[in-house]
Amino acid sequence: MRPSISQTKSSVQSKVFVCIGVCLLFYFKVEAQFSVSGHVFDSATMEPLSFVSVTLNTHQDTTLIDYRVTRANGWFLFEEVVADSVLLVVDALGYVAEYFTVDRRRGRQVDTIWLNAARFDLETVEVKAYKSGIILNGDTITYAPSVYTSGREENVEEVLKKLPGITVEEDGSVKFGNKEVKELLIDGDDFLDTNRKGLLKGIHAIDVEAIEVIQNYNPTGMSVLSSNRDGDVAINIKLSDMAKSKTRYRASLGGGYENKYDFVGELYRIKQKFKFFVNTYLDNTGQHQLSLFDYLKLNGGAEGFANKAASSNAGAVPKIFFQKSRSTSVASQYISANFSYKPMDALKINGYTLAYGAQNSLQSFSEEAPLNQGILNTFSSLSKNSFQNYMGKIAVSYRPASKLTFDFSAYTSIQKEEGSVDSESNLNGLNFASRYRNTSPQLTSSGQASLQYSMSPTSLLRAYVQADFTAIEREISLESDSVLHYDIANAAVRGNAIGQELENARLSLDYAVGYIKQVRHYSLSTTASYQSENQSLSNSGITGFEVPSISTTSRLTRNYFLWSNELEYSKPFFDAGIGIHYLATDFQRPRSSNEGIIYPSAFVSVNFARLQQKIKLKYNEQFNLIEVPIALQSFELQSINKLFLFNEASSILLRKHNLQLQYHLFDAFSGTMLFLFSNYASGISLGENVQYFPTYELRSAVVTPTEKVFFNGAILDKKIAPIKLGLKSKLFVGAQQDFVYVFDELQELLNTNLKFNLAAYTTREEKVNLEGGVGVDYGRFGTKQLQATARAVNCSFKLLSKSEGTVDWKIGTVLFWEQQNERKNLYTNILGELRFKPSTTKLQASLVFNDILNINSATRITASQIGNNYRFSAFDTLPGFLLLKLSYRH
Amino acid sequence: MAIEIDYRCKSKSGLPDESKAAIPPEVLLMVQEVVDAYYIDFKLAQEGKRSIFRQYEGEAIVKKKTEGTLKSFTYYLEEKDDLIYKDFKSQSIAGKKHKLSRVFHIQDELPELCWAITKEKKHILGYSCIKAVIEDYHGQEVVAWFTPRVPVPNGPLEFGDLPGLILELTKGNLVYTAVNVRIAGNRGLDGKIEKPKPVSKAISLKEYYEAINKSDKKFGSK
């Protein structure tokens, strides 16, 4: 159909309107834009100025809109400036800047701009602008926690765990590198810390301003001598000013299955002059003592145990060896109120107003006064476990001169064993001591004399003298590039007498001589000591023991430094020594008689260590670190009595072109506790995204002279090399071989296992981490075990949104198939934890059943087959618990 | 009018995360300390229409002798005479770079750089700085923080061409941050600004970066 006239007219009209509209829009658009251009000249030389900064800025706040830098002819041009009015700034170093207002209505602008030379110079500005996460200052390393933390940490413990080089153990002990931190200070005050775990968990993370690691820490302020002997390490928690104006508290309450309860209450306020910290712990969720029944369960029952014994080559069936406690985590009750008050600069009062619990270490504090200051230390305790113990002590320390300190203390103690009539013992006494120290650049000498008077149980006057001399390392220059130095580290004479009778004596001498030539350093050190102690306080019924000992150790060390012109650092290190120790002592220390049993004990140590560090930093154009090979090796062989130990501490890490080799052997010789543990792991790249990482492990029981034996059979918590799989996930592949062997006297624990475990792990950030593995376990007594593991751990995901908090959960199961001769077992461990953590409040809730970290303490379901007999059972391998916990902090 | 700027160059991120995971904490601390403690000082000196950007001169360029836990760590960097010379009059750039065991001699026109100015601002050395970004020859983002208050269109390396002095430049994993700005006035500079003498066949900036890029790919670095 043809369009009508009216329709055509209407169509033409509309097209005309559209055209007019487009033209108007174009007109206004063109009208809204304009250009600015110009030439910049030096007003003095009349020459065009190149590399002059020309900027267009807004009038309101001089925000930069556009810029040009003039070239040789001094010309600049801004096209299509979209603004009604702009500020044109023309500026160059050494000239006075010119400002122009450029208006759209004036349209295209071409101006000549003359710049005049400036008539003054600016002053030098120098600001050092780096804030490092770690600041080194002599022996002190200061961490800025904010660099390493995410802000979600709750307490100091979590902050410390994130700082490089610092580790926090399960029992609350803190290590810096491999060294245990001896002191935890709060704002430089030791604060009579006796419950470190409570202190670490109690102090809020947000209150921490800095963490200082003080190496060679010496609370008396005296210098620690001898560079080749390490001093103690202390950590000082510096609190923010904000924290000092607030009183903080935390309460956590848990209760659940099997009448388990767990209460933690903490209250603290730390101000400049007054500090207090109240701890309350009531906890019965610790693992029960390992009973005979538990032991049999762990070993496949009495029949399995008998089979083990019969098949062992030990000859006689060993006696059954049971432990009184499986771990240190037993039920505990503990309340203390710890305070520190410094009313004036010259006086400080420390103390516990009340201590109730089983923590014996409370008694050990003694703080020495700073110069011209006095300290009043008070302490009272009430502890009750198998003993009732009441103790009170008051001590005054005064230091009138830098070299002299006086100490006076009075104490009273009553101890009574429950159910025993005659067991009560009292100990009251006075103690006075004066200490003198003199330090010169070459020699430090110190002396101490003390008088101790015990009022009960018998009147006893004891004198004690001690003298120490220590020479600081002396350097004797041989040539310009060689140095001979010697170091008498310590020479001491100590005597302890009652009347005329020498009761305790110690002579010791440490001597080292070294030679440095250019970059090589050799040193030979010898330590020799003789110690004799013979105490016979039979009247008091305390202890009777003898400790004569002789020891000598020689050690030759050599190290040298090497650097090249490729920023390569290399420090091979050789350290070999030999020592002979003879120790005769009575470990049992019977309380009511002096019939000590003397164990002659010879200690021979052959020590070979080689440390090789080679940190090669090569930087490409982008400064990426592309190669860091590091090697640390150490080997140590020790023999103590009949117990033979193999002890290694090594770590090799080599990274080059996707090849990773890692080798760990852990040293664990600690005090009287002998712990044998070694681990070998090596990884190799199977491609860009996959690495194979077998782990071999040599493991033994923990043995102490008090004949406590601890099990540690967890095998699935190995550190296995992270392997990238995809963009945000990781795959872990590992293999493990365990070897457990304990010798001679501990034959009853013979449990030679050869384990192989292959596990695959995946990790997704912020989501679920899945781990799965299979393992083979071959026991010396015919145990064969297959394991399959599946667990999800360390999971953290947002519940609804970030503001509403998170739910962390862990759940897992370990499936075992085990064959011990005729017996076949199939069992599974189930473990889990659910934790709700709202971020909007300080309240937390968690539901815990068993402990995910320890597969031994789990609910176990077992199916057994012995011949044609089948049996099903379910029990806790070690008593587990189900606990609901609520926690609130302010 | 002359100006001298001291830049301190540090690695932006230190160790990659995957490396950290594989290194024992105590060793990591040592390595991290080395990485953190390591820096190179550069100086940009401009007088008139010429400028030079080079490492500090000295005997051996001693970077840092750390104390504390790294008492034994003493390391040296070989003396290098890498430099970038800019002539604003002839609008040319010349440079000498030691890389891949070779010495490159760069000769090129002063590049005209089209920076994208952002609205982000921060203070460096008390100067209000504006962030600008650009892509380099590898397509990698280069970030500059410049201050219009010092109207010198110059900066570290070959970068500049902004309406103010670059006080911080991030290129790849390297961050050059100004730690000292000295405007010498008419007294002039201590040293002379001289164009480097060619020691090898001259190549352009683009050719130089292509050679570096090829090498990085070969060694698997990003």
Side-chain angles (χ1 to χ4, degrees), chain A residues 50-51 53 67 71 121-122 125 127 130 136 138 215 613 617 620-626 630 653 662, chain B residues 8 15 22 27 30 33-34 38 49 68-69 88 99 125 161 163 173-174 179-181 183 185 216 221-222:
Chain A
S50 59
F51 291 91
S53 160
Y67 77 95
R71 295 297 165 178
D121 292 339
L122 295 176
V125 178
V127 177
Y130 283 92
L136 302 175
Q215 299 174 92
Q613 292 180 329
L617 302 172
N620 60 8
E621 183 63 19
Q622 280 77 43
F623 217 85
N624 287 324
L625 190 66
I626 58 176
I630 297 166
L653 176 66
Q662 197 163 17
Chain B
R8 181 154 293 177
L15 287 173
V27 180
M30 290 196 293
E33 271 184 280
V34 173
Y38 181 81
K49 295 297 178 192
T69 54
F88 296 101
K99 280 282 182 286
L125 295 177
D161 223 4
N173 200 32
L174 285 184
V179 291
N180 182 23
V181 177
I183 295 169
D216 285 350
S221 300
K222 290 172 184 174

Side-chain angles (χ1 to χ4, degrees), chain A residues 680-699:
Chain A
Y680 172 80
S682 64
I684 188 168
S685 171
L686 302 177
E688 191 174 351
N689 294 322
V690 181
Q691 288 176 331
Y692 170 68
F693 213 84
T695 303
Y696 305 98
E697 186 177 340
L698 181 64
R699 187 186 282 239

Side-chain angles (χ1 to χ4, degrees), chain A residues 475-525:
Chain A
E475 294 184 352
I476 303 166
S477 181
L478 298 177
E479 299 169 20
S480 60
D481 60 348
S482 301
V483 172
L484 179 69
H485 69 92
Y486 71 89
D487 170 21
I488 301 174
N490 191 23
V493 181
R494 294 179 189 125
N496 187 1
I498 301 174
Q500 300 297 317
E501 182 188 352
L502 180 69
E503 189 170 77
N504 175 306
R506 180 166 187 254
L507 297 168
S508 67
L509 176 70
D510 299 346
Y511 182 80
V513 61
Y515 177 64
I516 300 172
K517 183 173 174 58
Q518 291 176 330
V519 295
R520 292 171 182 80
H521 177 220
Y522 304 88
S523 77
L524 176 67
S525 63

Side-chain angles (χ1 to χ4, degrees), chain A residues 801-813:
Chain A
S801 69
K802 192 175 180 182
S803 62
E804 294 188 13
T806 58
V807 172
D808 296 335
W809 57 270
K810 301 172 181 177
I811 189 163
T813 180

Side-chain angles (χ1 to χ4, degrees), chain A residues 573-841:
Chain A
F573 176 80
F574 170 80
D575 181 4
I578 185 165
I580 298 173
H581 304 264
Y582 172 77
L583 176 72
T585 186
D586 168 15
F587 286 128
Q588 292 194 346
R589 299 189 182 185
R591 289 186 62 257
S592 57
S593 78
N594 58 355
E595 294 177 1
I597 301 170
I598 295 174
Y599 279 83
S601 171
F603 177 92
V604 179
S605 171
V606 180
N607 190 331
F608 171 79
R610 191 163 68 94
L611 176 70
Q612 192 169 44
Q613 292 180 329
K614 189 175 181 184
I615 299 175
K616 192 171 183 179
L617 302 172
K618 273 190 175 178
Y619 293 90
N620 60 8
E621 183 63 19
Q622 280 77 43
F623 217 85
N624 287 324
L625 190 66
I626 58 176
E627 193 175 353
V628 184
I630 297 166
L632 300 161
Q633 283 182 36
S634 141
F635 174 82
E636 194 171 341
L637 191 64
Q638 292 182 337
S639 171
I640 299 175
N641 285 343
K642 294 175 184 175
L643 186 66
F644 196 71
L645 286 178
F646 180 76
N647 197 357
E648 278 199 303
S650 298
S651 173
I652 294 177
L653 176 66
L654 176 67
R655 282 175 62 84
K656 189 172 183 180
H657 304 313
N658 288 328
L659 172 69
Q660 178 161 319
L661 175 69
Q662 197 163 17
Y663 175 66
H664 286 292
L665 288 164
F666 298 103
D667 182 2
F669 182 90
S670 172
T672 55
M673 182 177 287
L674 311 177
F675 180 44
L676 180 59
F677 177 89
S678 64
N679 178 297
Y680 172 80
S682 64
I684 188 168
S685 171
L686 302 177
E688 191 174 351
N689 294 322
V690 181
Q691 288 176 331
Y692 170 68
F693 213 84
T695 303
Y696 305 98
E697 186 177 340
L698 181 64
R699 187 186 282 239
S700 175
V702 176
V703 185
T704 71
T706 51
E707 297 181 341
K708 289 179 181 173
V709 175
F710 297 81
F711 269 116
N712 192 344
I715 58 167
L716 295 173
D717 54 353
K718 296 296 116 215
K719 284 183 180 174
I720 298 172
I723 298 159
K724 279 186 178 175
L725 184 68
L727 191 63
K728 282 194 172 183
S729 65
K730 289 179 180 176
L731 172 68
F732 300 83
V733 178
Q736 176 182 301
Q737 180 177 301
D738 270 24
F739 181 80
V740 181
Y741 196 89
V742 182
F743 294 81
D744 294 343
E745 291 167 346
L746 303 173
Q747 199 91 34
E748 53 274 16
L749 267 182
L750 274 178
N751 186 14
T752 307
N753 290 322
L754 195 61
K755 294 178 181 176
F756 178 78
N757 181 264
L758 182 67
Y761 297 64
T762 64
T763 300
R764 287 186 196 171
E765 289 179 12
E766 296 295 327
K767 290 186 180 175
V768 181
N769 303 336
L770 295 173
E771 299 176 0
V774 292
V776 180
D777 185 347
Y778 172 74
R780 177 173 169 174
F781 300 103
T783 308
K784 294 169 191 164
Q785 192 181 71
L786 272 177
Q787 305 145 25
T789 309
R791 59 177 171 178
V793 296
N794 285 333
C795 309
S796 175
F797 63 90
K798 292 164 189 167
L799 183 63
L800 290 172
S801 69
K802 192 175 180 182
S803 62
E804 294 188 13
T806 58
V807 172
D808 296 335
W809 57 270
K810 301 172 181 177
I811 189 163
T813 180
V814 185
L815 188 68
F816 293 87
W817 178 86
E818 188 181 73
Q819 181 176 351
Q820 296 165 342
N821 300 322
E822 295 298 314
R823 174 190 292 270
K824 292 170 188 167
N825 287 329
L826 180 67
Y827 55 89
T828 179
N829 289 348
I830 302 167
L831 16 88
E833 182 178 332
L834 183 70
R835 190 177 181 202
F836 176 57
K837 185 179 174 185
S839 59
T840 50
T841 71

